[in-house]
Each structure stands twice: as C-alpha cells, then as structure tokens.
C-alpha cells in the first residue's frame, strides 16, 4: 500500500466525523511506537517531521525508517507530513524525500505575503500530487524557532485565504499554544470559530498545539529527577468538541516526548546499572505506543484504517488537481 496523501485521509475523516492524530517523530522508537499503536487500533495515522527532525535524522534516515514502517504494516494508511515548513525550498526537500504532504507556515508574515508564499508551495506540491496544509492566525508558545503571539483566525479572511491559495487543509488559531508549558489553568478555546470556519471554507481544519500534558506523566518526570513546572495542556473533551465541529487533524508532539522521558527517567533512577539502550528505549517505545493508542481512541480514529485504500501521488495529481 502506498503512503497516503493528507487530502485523501482528511476528506475521509471529515466524512466520518473523526480526526487523525498527527504525531511528530525524531527517531526509530517513536516511529515504531506510533505505527504499533495504529496497527493495534486499526487507525490511519499522520507521521510528521519538523525541519529540526529532518536535520537530526540527516534526511534519509527518516525517509527509510518510514518506508520500513509502511512495508511492515501495509494495512495502515500512513501520511508522511512536513510540519511547519518555512519556505518553498523546505517543501521541495520534503517532496524529494517522498513526503505526501507538506505544511507551509507563513502565518507570522503579513496576510498578503502569507497568501503569496502559500500559493507558490501549493502550485509546486500539487504538480506532484502532494497535499498542502497552511496556517492563518498565530498560536502562543514556541514552534521550533518562532515565538508566537496569539492572533485568532478570522473566518472571513480564512475563506478568502483558502480561495486564493487552493490549500487542502487549514490550521486555525483558536487559543491553543505550542510547547510543554502551555497554560497555568484550564484553557478556554474559541470552539465556535471552528464550526464557523469549517462551514465557510468547507476544508478540513487542523489544531496545532494540542498536546494535553498528562498530569500523571508530568508527575513521573518530576518524581524521577525532572524539572518541568506545573502546566495545563488542552483537555481531551475540548479537542473532541473541536473535532465535532470540523477539526480533522490534531497535532501531538509534547505528550509523546513526555511519555518517553518519564519512562527513561524511571528506569535510570530505579535501575542505575542499566546501560543497554534497548533496556530503556524499548520501554520508552511501549510508552509511546500506549499514549498514541489513547489519542487514537479519543480522536475517533480507531477502526477506520480499512475504510479506504490510499491512492498514489500520480492518481492524486489527476483526481484532485486535474494535472
């Protein structure tokens, strides 16, 4: 089974009223844990890599680890997605590696420049059958190298943006925040915006900064020597509320990092004699799997892997873009 395009996966999710988790990866154990979770829950999945992840894995390591995952689990629709691409050149690199979807994030730029940059990426990517996600509005927190000041997405502008750029999915700012240190109290999200924008644009919407910062995992990290200040993530019921209103892709990074970290810290504390990486990376991989499985059930993804057969990029180019 080929890798799946984001457009196909999110159109299926929109029809089925569920969302796909989009899980960031940097190493083999994360990929293994995520794919194992998808296989056990029978879920389609988005595996995404940031610019930092591409640099860390020297491009080709990541490419071939993903291909191995797809080869081992051909029954699972897998989207390979570039997270927070910052330029056409970054998108070109990802596409050359076989990514089936790219995000171009020019949301920090003036609106007209965001439109121009996004449209350039859309025109280039669609010629290969590759899907494009863009962002309008800005989140708080940190997204690799961009400090965000919150600016909620305007529904009227979102409609104009989608029409002007031809994007396949739109990341909207509704009050979430990137990073581990999100909120000091339970956040109140602009959920009504989701429904308004979804109806106006008729596009699958994306929630960034959607880790929940599980308090039991946070407690374990600190118990075993970590120093993570108390923080609140996005509650699962709030995410589910957004999914009901049109969100089809939910980005998760912090939570899976925390799951691995808590597990490794516990092993190092309780078993100081351990020095074989398999003895702590293996359990960390299992912790990732368990966390991702819970997300797949919470987002309604579980059981949908067999709903459709992914089409190739060549088919996507003809079917979706008439090229």
């Amino acid at each position: 089974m080929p890798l799946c395009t984001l457009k196909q996966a999110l159109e299926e999710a929109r029809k089925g009223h569920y969302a796909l988790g989009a899980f960031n990866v940097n190493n083999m154990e994360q990929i293994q844990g995520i794919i194992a979770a998808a296989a056990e829950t029978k879920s389609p999945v988005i595996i995404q890599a940031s610019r930092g992840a591409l640099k860390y894995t020297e491009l080709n390591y990541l490419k071939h680890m993903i291909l191995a995952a797809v080869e081992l689990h051909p029954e699972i629709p897998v989207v390979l997605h570039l997270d927070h691409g910052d330029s056409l050149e970054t998108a070109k690199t990802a596409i050359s590696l076989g990514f089936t979807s790219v995000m171009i994030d020019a949301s920090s730029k003036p609106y007209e420049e965001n439109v121009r940059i996004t449209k350039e990426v859309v025109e280039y990517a669609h010629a290969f059958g590759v899907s494009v996600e863009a962002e309008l509005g800005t989140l708080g927190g940190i997204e690799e190298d961009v400090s965000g000041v919150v600016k909620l997405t305007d529904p009227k502008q979102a409609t104009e943006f989608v029409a002007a750029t031809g994007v396949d999915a739109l990341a909207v700012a509704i009050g979430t925040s990137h990073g581990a240190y999100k909120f000091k109290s339970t956040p109140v999200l602009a959920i009504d915006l989701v429904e308004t924008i979804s109806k106006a644009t008729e596009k699958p919407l994306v929630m960034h900064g959607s880790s929940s910062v599980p308090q039991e995992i946070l407690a374990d990290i600190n118990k075993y020597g970590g120093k993570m200040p108390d923080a609140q993530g996005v509650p699962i019921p709030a995410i589910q509320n957004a999914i009901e209103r049109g969100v089809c892709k939910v980005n998760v990074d912090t939570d899976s990092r925390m799951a691995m970290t808590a597990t490794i810290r516990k092993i190092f504390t309780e078993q100081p004699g351990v020095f074989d990486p398999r003895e702590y990376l293996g359990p960390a991989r299992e912790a990732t799997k368990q966390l991702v499985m819970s997300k797949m059930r919470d987002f309604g993804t579980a059981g949908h892997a067999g709903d459709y057969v992914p089409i190739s990029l060549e088919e996507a180019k003809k079917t979706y873009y008439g090229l």
Side-chain angles (χ1 to χ4, degrees):
M1 182 181 289
L3 285 164
C4 187
T5 65
L6 185 73
K7 183 173 179 66
Q8 182 181 13
L10 295 193
E11 284 188 352
E12 291 289 338
R14 187 172 166 86
K15 286 190 295 185
H17 304 288
Y18 63 88
L20 275 78
F23 303 97
N24 285 73
V25 297
N26 298 282
N27 66 11
M28 183 181 75
E29 285 76 17
Q30 287 178 308
I31 294 170
Q32 289 176 315
I34 292 164
I35 288 293
E40 188 156 329
T41 60
K42 296 180 173 58
S43 300
V45 66
I46 300 165
I47 295 180
Q48 57 186 28
S50 65
R51 285 169 284 133
L54 290 177
K55 182 179 179 180
Y56 180 78
T57 59
E58 300 179 74
L59 304 181
N60 284 326
Y61 280 111
L62 180 67
K63 169 185 175 179
H64 289 286
M65 286 189 290
I66 296 293
L67 291 177
V70 173
E71 182 180 333
L72 289 167
H73 291 284
E75 78 281 9
I76 302 299
V78 178
V79 178
L80 180 54
H81 178 73
L82 171 67
D83 188 27
H84 287 289
D86 62 342
S87 67
L88 176 59
E89 291 308 310
T90 305
K92 286 181 177 180
T93 297
I95 291 168
S96 73
L97 289 169
F99 279 57
T100 54
S101 176
V102 296
M103 181 195 181
I104 177 63
D105 183 4
S107 60
S108 62
K109 309 288 186 185
Y111 174 76
E112 292 76 13
E113 191 172 355
N114 189 358
V115 169
R116 179 184 62 77
I117 293 170
T118 301
K119 189 174 181 180
E120 281 182 351
V121 173
V122 167
E123 289 175 353
Y124 183 85
H126 283 181
F128 293 91
V130 172
S131 311
V132 180
E133 171 192 337
E135 184 170 339
L136 191 62
T138 54
L139 277 65
I142 299 295
E143 50 186 56
E144 203 146 86
D145 61 356
V146 178
S147 295
V149 176
V150 177
K151 180 183 178 184
L152 299 184
T153 304
D154 176 77
K156 182 175 182 294
Q157 195 174 64
T159 306
E160 295 169 354
F161 183 82
V162 166
T165 61
V167 293
D168 301 296
L170 183 66
V172 292
I174 59 170
T176 57
S177 179
H178 288 102
Y181 311 116
K182 297 178 179 293
F183 312 102
K184 292 301 180 184
S185 59
T186 302
V188 178
L189 304 182
I191 295 295
D192 289 346
L193 269 183
V194 176
E195 188 166 12
T196 302
I197 295 170
S198 176
K199 288 180 178 178
T201 63
E202 297 184 334
K203 291 288 182 180
L205 302 184
V206 181
M207 274 182 77
H208 285 219
S210 300
S211 282
S212 297
V213 189
Q215 295 301 292
E216 67 278 8
I217 298 178
L218 181 67
D220 274 351
I221 289 173
N222 292 332
K223 177 181 177 180
Y224 295 108
K227 292 183 179 178
M228 290 185 68
D230 291 341
Q232 299 288 325
V234 183
I236 291 298
I239 295 173
Q240 291 170 328
N241 201 354
I243 292 169
E244 290 174 4
R245 285 161 173 72
V247 163
C248 299
K249 175 177 180 276
V250 180
N251 284 17
V252 178
D253 188 7
T254 294
D255 288 355
S256 55
R257 293 185 185 193
M258 289 176 65
M260 293 193 84
T261 298
T263 302
I264 292 170
R265 282 191 172 278
K266 181 178 180 181
I267 291 170
F268 282 175
T269 301
E270 295 182 345
Q271 304 173 56
V274 166
F275 64 91
D276 184 340
R278 292 171 297 182
E279 293 187 38
Y280 51 87
L281 291 177
R285 176 179 60 194
E286 179 62 24
T288 299
K289 174 187 171 183
Q290 295 301 323
L291 180 128
V292 171
M293 284 174 61
S294 72
K295 300 289 185 186
M296 288 170 165
R297 293 180 179 122
D298 289 337
F299 300 163
T301 329
H304 288 287
D307 291 357
Y308 57 96
V309 176
I311 63 174
S312 68
L313 290 178
E314 194 61 33
E315 289 176 284
K317 184 169 71 171
K318 296 173 184 175
T319 303
Y320 298 138
Y321 313 124
L323 299 173

